[in-house]
Amino acid sequence: MTDTSIPSAEQSLDEETVPTEEAEETGAESTTAEKKAPADSDLFRQSEIAADYVEGLLDILDYDGDIDELVSGGRPVVEVVGGRLQNLIGQRGATLEALQELARLAVFRQTGSPSRLLLDVGGYRAARRKELAAVAKNAVEKVKEYGEPVRLEPMSAFERKCVHDVVNAMSGVESESEGVEPNRRIVVRPAAD
């Protein structure tokens, strides 16, 4: 029997709101009462559940790492720090994204609610945010210089959110996502007047 209420692998919850990826990427906010943010205590409980799950995985893999659970920006966060953790990140964060989805499913299984949990290993996400900010600024410069849209390489939902945030903070340009996972990408273009 299949439980259709569990988020599928195609449904990414990396952005700021749960309902739809496009609304999340563009920063659209929901106004319905049923989409209220959980209390910090509920979010911290989610991070504890995910931390326990990740700790179990580290034990199975015989990896050493310190695990911190916290609430940041209105979402549960689990950070793993230590040596020899590169294998948990994978190429361009692919393994990290998969581990994050597994941790979210562990939270869902215990709470019955989808989670916006953010998992970070070895500071990868913070470093990737800086790289993506540079990519976004470079794309904006090209758009402003040549007046032509710039299509970026396919990115994960987390990566697209980082780029959208940078582009939306700049005047004279706009961004939107196009395509279908796993080839969804951002197009940066001159802002419509």
Side-chain angles (χ1 to χ4, degrees), residues 19-162:
T20 65
E21 183 175 293
E22 206 52 45
E24 295 156 356
E25 288 179 7
T26 58
E29 294 182 21
S30 172
T31 58
T32 60
E34 68 186 47
K35 296 175 186 165
K36 282 194 235 177
D40 277 356
S41 61
D42 293 336
L43 295 174
F44 189 75
R45 174 74 180 126
Q46 290 179 22
S47 67
E48 288 178 321
I49 293 167
D52 289 344
Y53 179 80
V54 170
E55 184 175 15
L57 285 176
L58 291 177
D59 288 344
I60 290 168
L61 297 170
D62 196 28
Y63 283 7
D64 289 326
D66 293 327
I67 301 173
D68 294 325
E69 61 265 346
L70 54 131
V71 174
S72 178
R75 68 190 304 174
V77 177
V78 173
E79 296 176 345
V80 183
V81 293
R84 263 186 0 117
L85 296 176
Q86 185 60 35
N87 288 340
L88 296 178
I89 298 169
Q91 186 177 10
R92 292 197 55 212
T95 306
L96 176 58
E97 292 291 330
L99 290 174
Q100 178 174 275
E101 289 304 315
L102 289 172
R104 286 177 174 175
L105 288 173
V107 172
F108 179 82
R109 193 166 180 179
Q110 285 196 29
T111 65
S113 299
S115 176
R116 295 176 46 238
L117 173 81
L118 185 66
L119 175 64
D120 194 9
V121 174
Y124 173 80
R125 292 199 188 273
R128 186 68 178 141
R129 269 191 195 97
K130 288 180 184 176
E131 292 172 15
L132 292 166
V135 167
K137 289 175 184 175
N138 186 37
V140 166
E141 288 174 12
K142 286 181 180 178
V143 168
K144 287 183 175 183
E145 184 176 342
Y146 299 110
E148 296 291 323
V150 173
R151 283 181 172 69
L152 302 177
E153 66 186 39
M155 298 178 183
S156 69
F158 162 77
E159 293 171 324
R160 290 191 310 271
K161 173 75 170 97
C162 292

